[in-house]
Amino acid sequence: MNPDITRERENATFNVEKLTHILDGGIEKTKRRREIESLVISDPDFQSEDLNFLSRSERYDAAVKKSAQMILKLREYGISDPEEIYCYKSVFRGNHHEALGLHFTMFLPTLYTQCNKEQFEKWVPLAESFKALGTYAQTELGHGTHLRGLETTATYDPATQEFVLNSPTITSIKWWPGGLGKTSNHAIVLAQLHTQGKCHGLHAFIVPLRSMNTHIPLPGVVVGDIGPKFGFDEVDNGYLKLENVRIPRDHMLMKYAKVEADGTYVKPPSAKLTYGTMVFIRSMIVGEAGRALAKSCTIAIRYSSVRHQSEIRPGEPEPQIMDYQTQQYKLFPLLATAYAYKFVGQYMNQVYHRITGDISQGDFSELPELHALSAGLKAFTTWTASEGIEVCRMACGGHGYSRCSALPDIYVNFVPTCTYEGENTVMMLQTARFLIKSYRQASAGHQLSGIVSYLNESERRLQPQSVSSRPTVVNVNDLASLVEAYKLRAAKLVELAAKSIQQELQKRVSQEDAWNNSAIDLVRASDAHCHYVVVKLFAAKLGEIGDTGVHSVLSTLALLYALQGIQQHSGDFLQTGLLSVPQLSQVSQRLKELLAQLRPNAVALVDAFDYCDEMLNSVLGRYDGNVYEHMFEWARCSPLNKTEVHESYHKYLKPLQAKL
Amino acid sequence: MNPDITRERENATFNVEKLTHILDGGIEKTKRRREIESLVISDPDFQSEDLNFLSRSERYDAAVKKSAQMILKLREYGISDPEEIYCYKSVFRGNHHEALGLHFTMFLPTLYTQCNKEQFEKWVPLAESFKALGTYAQTELGHGTHLRGLETTATYDPATQEFVLNSPTITSIKWWPGGLGKTSNHAIVLAQLHTQGKCHGLHAFIVPLRSMNTHIPLPGVVVGDIGPKFGFDEVDNGYLKLENVRIPRDHMLMKYAKVEADGTYVKPPSAKLTYGTMVFIRSMIVGEAGRALAKSCTIAIRYSSVRHQSEIRPGEPEPQIMDYQTQQYKLFPLLATAYAYKFVGQYMNQVYHRITGDISQGDFSELPELHALSAGLKAFTTWTASEGIEVCRMACGGHGYSRCSALPDIYVNFVPTCTYEGENTVMMLQTARFLIKSYRQASAGHQLSGIVSYLNESERRLQPQSVSSRPTVVNVNDLASLVEAYKLRAAKLVELAAKSIQQELQKRVSQEDAWNNSAIDLVRASDAHCHYVVVKLFAAKLGEIGDTGVHSVLSTLALLYALQGIQQHSGDFLQTGLLSVPQLSQVSQRLKELLAQLRPNAVALVDAFDYCDEMLNSVLGRYDGNVYEHMFEWARCSPLNKTEVHESYHKYLKPLQAKL
């Protein structure tokens, strides 16, 4: 064990294990998680060469192998609870993705929820036994977030009782679905349904892609890998061009909408039913943002405690780089953010399960709010976490660029969450739509409930006034007061966005153009709303914590999180008169004090995330802090070191020397 | 040609070619640049498979091949002017790096400047004929920016008149030098010189690493590749462990310092002489920031003009995504930033050459200012450009993640500039040191000259006052007035940082701790200083432009750049009383107007950068806008598509199905 990191642990002022239990949701959950993790860690089948040393084809191969092994082992161990499966996967995936990911997250769930009884009996056993390996093919080369724009057609032919599927244009080629390129033999294809000469919009069809015996693509199916990407090297994201592919009528998923034998179209009873999965996945991503950032902070903070560099005082030994105020200022607010997002993730999970219960009882009342919240928070947290991962990486100096730090992998495999499951700016505007609607309802005298209830007060309290005439309300040392300030900022920015739309309308532009011409303000309002929600939930979490030591350090983190947000957005708080200039100086001063206060607990706070070395897969983030000897060992395994002299010397350099 | 992009070009209000000439520095330079570029483009030897399809070893191989070819071709064409060589390389490198990069940028220049006459006669011909292939080995596993911390030793043995080189610890292993792993047979090694029982600090030694006949590592030389990284896949960054490696006395570079035969050490005449190269490389990086961002903007803006998505007005066709205000707000300020950095790069280049002239005359007076400016601007521009590249990438939606967009390559190959040639935070603090020193001189009544002369006024004009009592000075529509506001902000923040140090000292902490405890404020002051310099230089550039159309569009860009910076840092401008709250609303409104005003010129403005398709190597950034058919074509070449059925199916999936 590196003596620096040992000393850090000795200096901690709280019980790390207790904080781990809080993060897991209880001592029993921590225990079970560790049991499951140790199944993977001790399993020789999951020991493999660093994926970064392999070619893409080898990486894909290794990922398929791991997925196949996992399926057998989960059965062997009898692990079937989704949370436990997730935990098992988290270890063997490390910082990478699963080759069969979409079979589990999209293909199976869609079958479960959209098959009618006969379809369920046929397809679910095939999918659960992996005879049918599936994916979900929605996005097209020319069409992403805007689903109505999709061009793939499924035209019903009553003569043969078949649908004929086609990709009528280049832009209609299905593009991006994970596992589509090489792995899947089936896809659920989203296509425009045409029957009896009419288009009825998007519906889902089960399309066989490859022979279930030979895996060779079926006639009319042009399928393949879309090529290398930024991250997701292990996954065969694919393309699919359909050329007059005929499937039987019962391959349309018919739990809700139907096409009868003669071609008569029967409408689904409600459109809201498809909301659920989207909301669930976006809520999950919020938790992922917390995890990705927590891993990155673990690596950067542990490394900062063993790395010595430069000097603060002349003549003294080089200090740990964590002693530099600038390093603390980079890392500790991100550490606070990681905690905040982990708690928000827990909250979203709880709300989702509560509301799902309501929905199954036919109560949809909370769904719009959750939909809006999950969209905005997904964007808010993934943007911040992505930037934060890069800050952590660069805080490790040169070595953060080495693949052995794991930070490049964490970044490239996390950052796509900013785009998939709804592009972030579009997500922010969806939340804004809900906020503006709520604001207008409140203005019209309706009493709002739920998270937007603060908009009830806006008309009354937030009259435009100048900075100097407005009494300030904030106590910069009191978290409750800061939550209030975030709330008022959100209210004010929602109001500003609504007024911008109003002003545009007065210029006689259409509603739609007024919306677009106010989009910058709308995104800003959503951002402020999400920021308020996060600060509020972090503060609320503190109320649940009994242990004094843990409560104290988490309170410091929460205060740091809130004050740093104010400093970053100081313009907003000054502009809306919520802070005065002298208070802003207090905020800066207090931030510096909090950094110094957190310094002795930094390593313990990342230890509490409890990511084992096998999950981090980072030489810089090793628990024992013995970084350098392991970097050297790792480097020696680099494929370029397999020969002393690379063949390019004989091919190009030697001849060059001869010619000159 | 895609009709959307044709229409964009027809709508431009200025002459693109004229702007290109300004960027190149004259019509003749544009002509010559294009001539050189066409040499590469038309050369069949430089046509190669997309590097993203190759394994790392293949990529390294391809890069060595290209470098070897380049050397022969430059001789064949008689190209020897450094600017022209740079231009030639820019095309054949594309978005990647050169295998022999450090031979040219560090090994040769060090020989030119630090060899004495005999050494020059021996080593320069060997290096120029590539018999000696060299690199520059400075950083160590445990030591980076802080050079005094380096541990490698060179101990003089008068008995044999040799130096004995050693890596005494794990942390002393040389780590990171480009070309060290496999390519180089020599390295200039920086080591602590020990002679006659005394250490004389860092000196440079020529160390043979590999046999010049067989390329096999010499005895005592443990050398290899440090493994895969984030970017730089083509480069064999290496490690070097020296185990009692003996080199003759005349392998120490002895132009300045010397060790005589008996071991007597002779000091160099001045330490400032090594400043020059560092300053030059940092100045170059500022220009690189402009180029990387300009390429990224070209790709994102062209793609935004041909990509249609979602709807603004119901029932109408999907609009070009560039019509969304949020998209304009992402991209146009970055476009303005790219222009700003290109002009700052031109300026730094001119200043560097002027000051180099002075230095060769023995006049070092301007060197400290240039040193401070190049450090800060290097950090300021590389941070912003790196973030900006990612914003451009994500503005392309899902397709920005595909390696065919080129944006991942641009990012991973540019972002290391934030760390190498001086870690950015350290660079900002170096600039801060100059600013604080200047501020103290001004406070003591000295009259400052040069770029920091604004600090002369600070004591007099910037008395602390509240927001309300201070008259505002800014006209948000007038660039000159905005430059003034940036200047006053910088002055104020330098003053705040100086006061923070003062307050710390009053707590009876040491100078060094006071500095560290004020580091956040110091970085903030440097950032404001650099921002002022950039705005000022952009505004100054407008004065040189005669053409009305070009002047008009560049003025709009400059105003956008200045106003967006104010919006992003609105807290600073409000806090320092330079802007009032109503003015901040005007800034927001004006920004929206400027976005709309730039919209018709966006494609023409990126066309003016004049990056040919071969240099961009981006399917999304194609000049003709025909994106989708070429994406499909590119994807079909993906290595995973070489077989219809990947072997992993037979190895893992088929057996899995059989078992379940």
Side-chain angles (χ1 to χ4, degrees), chain B residues 264-569:
Chain B
T264 305
Y265 176 73
V266 182
K267 275 206 297 192
S270 161
K272 280 190 182 160
L273 293 161
T274 52
Y275 258 39
T277 320
M278 241 163 41
V279 170
F280 175 65
I281 294 182
R282 288 177 191 159
S283 302
M284 283 284 295
I285 291 177
V286 173
E288 286 297 334
R291 280 182 283 274
L293 198 50
K295 278 185 172 185
S296 304
C297 287
T298 303
I299 296 166
I301 286 177
R302 284 186 185 158
Y303 179 61
S304 296
S305 79
V306 299
R307 174 76 172 184
H308 292 255
Q309 185 81 351
S310 298
E311 56 186 20
I312 294 176
R313 301 177 201 95
E316 292 190 11
E318 296 183 85
Q320 293 161 283
I321 59 175
M322 200 150 62
D323 286 336
Y324 290 95
Q325 190 183 58
T326 46
Q327 188 78 350
Q328 295 170 9
Y329 190 57
K330 285 176 194 172
L331 297 178
F332 296 173
L334 290 174
L335 178 62
T337 306
Y339 271 95
Y341 292 179
K342 286 219 161 201
F343 295 140
V344 175
Q346 287 179 347
Y347 169 85
M348 293 296 283
N349 200 279
Q350 288 157 9
V351 175
Y352 175 76
H353 283 107
R354 177 169 54 75
I355 294 187
T356 311
D358 294 345
I359 291 171
S360 68
Q361 312 282 313
D363 175 5
F364 292 90
S365 60
E366 284 194 83
L367 197 55
E369 177 175 321
L370 181 62
H371 182 251
L373 188 62
S374 66
L377 280 179
K378 178 262 190 192
F380 181 81
T381 58
T382 56
W383 266 333
T384 316
S386 295
E387 280 174 25
I389 296 165
E390 278 295 83
V391 170
C392 287
R393 194 179 61 70
M394 293 206 259
C396 296
H399 296 336
Y401 293 84
S402 172
R403 292 270 171 181
C404 78
S405 74
L407 290 162
D409 282 334
I410 295 173
Y411 183 64
V412 298
N413 289 313
F414 178 75
V415 71
T417 56
C418 294
T419 307
Y420 64 52
E421 301 300 333
E423 195 278 327
N424 273 359
T425 302
V426 177
M427 292 299 96
M428 280 298 196
L429 288 169
Q430 282 190 9
T431 296
R433 204 168 283 280
F434 181 75
L435 293 173
I436 294 296
K437 196 175 147 196
S438 302
Y439 173 82
R440 287 179 180 158
Q441 287 172 342
S443 303
H446 295 282
Q447 191 69 16
L448 302 172
S449 64
I451 201 103
V452 288
S453 56
Y454 65 85
L455 293 171
N456 289 327
E457 307 163 28
S458 55
E459 277 300 292
R460 194 158 24 89
R461 290 184 45 185
L462 291 165
Q463 295 310 313
Q465 19 196 337
S466 77
V467 173
S468 47
S469 69
R470 187 179 168 75
T472 53
V473 294
V474 178
N475 172 355
V476 302
N477 292 304
D478 176 41
L479 191 57
S481 171
L482 297 175
V483 173
E484 188 70 12
Y486 273 94
K487 184 175 98 178
L488 293 172
R489 168 183 173 238
K492 189 72 192 173
L493 294 187
V494 171
E495 189 191 15
L496 276 179
K499 292 207 165 139
S500 166
I501 296 173
Q502 213 50 48
Q503 280 161 15
E504 289 292 323
L505 288 173
Q506 282 161 9
K507 296 183 202 159
R508 301 185 170 278
V509 305
S510 67
Q511 279 284 351
E512 294 78 16
D513 286 328
W515 178 267
N516 186 35
N517 294 345
S518 307
I520 297 171
D521 305 293
L522 289 162
V523 171
R524 191 175 165 212
S526 281
D527 187 84
H529 173 73
C530 293
H531 213 148
Y532 158 59
V533 171
V534 175
V535 174
K536 182 182 143 93
L537 291 174
F538 201 163
K541 186 75 194 180
L542 296 178
E544 298 173 18
I545 292 161
D547 183 85
T548 325
V550 172
H551 188 277
S552 164
V553 72
L554 285 184
S555 300
T556 308
L557 276 180
L559 199 56
L560 177 69
Y561 180 76
L563 289 177
Q564 199 242 1
I566 288 177
Q567 194 180 52
Q568 282 186 318
H569 300 277

Side-chain angles (χ1 to χ4, degrees), chain A residues 213 390 411 521 592 654, chain B residues 213 390 411 521 592 654:
Chain A
N213 284 319
E390 278 295 84
Y411 183 64
D521 306 292
K592 291 185 198 172
K654 191 103 185 150
Chain B
N213 284 319
E390 278 295 83
Y411 183 64
D521 305 293
K592 292 184 198 173
K654 190 103 186 152

Side-chain angles (χ1 to χ4, degrees), chain B residues 190-249:
Chain B
L190 276 277
Q192 304 288 353
L193 165 62
H194 293 260
T195 180
Q196 297 178 336
K198 239 187 109 181
C199 178
H200 296 276
L202 278 189
H203 290 76
F205 302 84
I206 303 181
V207 180
L209 304 177
R210 292 171 178 267
S211 153
M212 287 170 78
N213 284 319
T214 64
H215 211 61
I216 288 173
L218 297 170
V221 172
V222 182
V223 70
D225 174 72
I226 61 164
K229 297 140 297 186
F230 199 46
F232 281 71
D233 285 288
E234 294 72 41
V235 179
D236 55 323
N237 300 76
Y239 61 78
L240 172 64
K241 189 162 177 285
L242 296 162
E243 297 172 344
N244 286 312
V245 172
R246 289 185 163 260
I247 54 173
R249 181 171 67 95

Side-chain angles (χ1 to χ4, degrees), chain A residues 141-318:
Chain A
L141 195 39
H143 309 279
T145 303
H146 184 61
L147 297 184
R148 271 171 294 168
L150 294 175
E151 295 178 81
T152 304
T153 54
T155 308
Y156 186 66
D157 177 359
T160 60
Q161 297 204 20
E162 288 172 322
F163 290 101
V164 189
L165 279 96
N166 269 299
S167 310
T169 59
I170 285 268
T171 44
S172 76
I173 299 173
K174 293 289 176 187
W175 206 268
W176 279 109
L180 173 62
K182 309 305 284 186
T183 314
S184 301
N185 56 22
H186 284 79
I188 289 168
V189 171
L190 277 278
Q192 304 288 353
L193 165 62
H194 293 260
T195 179
Q196 296 179 336
K198 238 186 109 182
C199 177
H200 296 276
L202 277 191
H203 290 74
F205 302 84
I206 304 182
V207 181
L209 304 177
R210 291 170 179 267
S211 154
M212 288 170 79
N213 284 319
T214 63
H215 211 62
I216 289 173
L218 297 170
V221 172
V222 182
V223 70
D225 174 74
I226 61 164
K229 298 141 295 188
F230 200 46
F232 282 70
D233 285 288
E234 294 71 41
V235 179
D236 55 321
N237 300 75
Y239 60 78
L240 171 65
K241 189 162 178 285
L242 297 162
E243 297 172 343
N244 286 312
V245 172
R246 289 183 163 260
I247 55 173
R249 181 172 67 94
D250 66 1
H251 277 39
M252 171 174 156
L253 293 178
M254 297 224 203
K255 182 159 183 185
Y256 303 115
K258 287 179 191 57
V259 170
E260 292 174 354
D262 66 348
T264 305
Y265 176 72
V266 183
K267 273 207 297 190
S270 161
K272 279 190 182 160
L273 293 160
T274 52
Y275 258 41
T277 320
M278 239 162 44
V279 170
F280 175 66
I281 294 183
R282 288 175 193 161
S283 302
M284 283 283 296
I285 291 176
V286 173
E288 285 297 334
R291 280 181 283 274
L293 199 50
K295 278 186 172 186
S296 305
C297 286
T298 303
I299 296 166
I301 286 177
R302 285 187 184 156
Y303 179 61
S304 296
S305 78
V306 300
R307 174 75 172 186
H308 292 254
Q309 185 81 353
S310 298
E311 56 186 21
I312 294 177
R313 302 178 200 93
E316 292 189 13
E318 296 183 85

Side-chain angles (χ1 to χ4, degrees), chain B residues 21 24-35 84:
Chain B
H21 299 157
D24 281 321
I27 186 165
E28 283 307 314
K29 291 216 172 179
T30 300
K31 199 174 147 222
R32 180 64 181 148
R33 175 178 57 74
R34 287 181 182 158
E35 274 170 17
E84 296 195 355

Side-chain angles (χ1 to χ4, degrees), chain A residues 467 472 474 573-574 577-586, chain B residues 467 575:
Chain A
V467 173
T472 53
V474 179
F573 288 89
L574 290 174
L578 294 164
L579 269 194
S580 67
V581 169
Q583 280 180 314
L584 196 57
S585 303
Q586 281 175 42
Chain B
V467 173
Q575 189 183 0

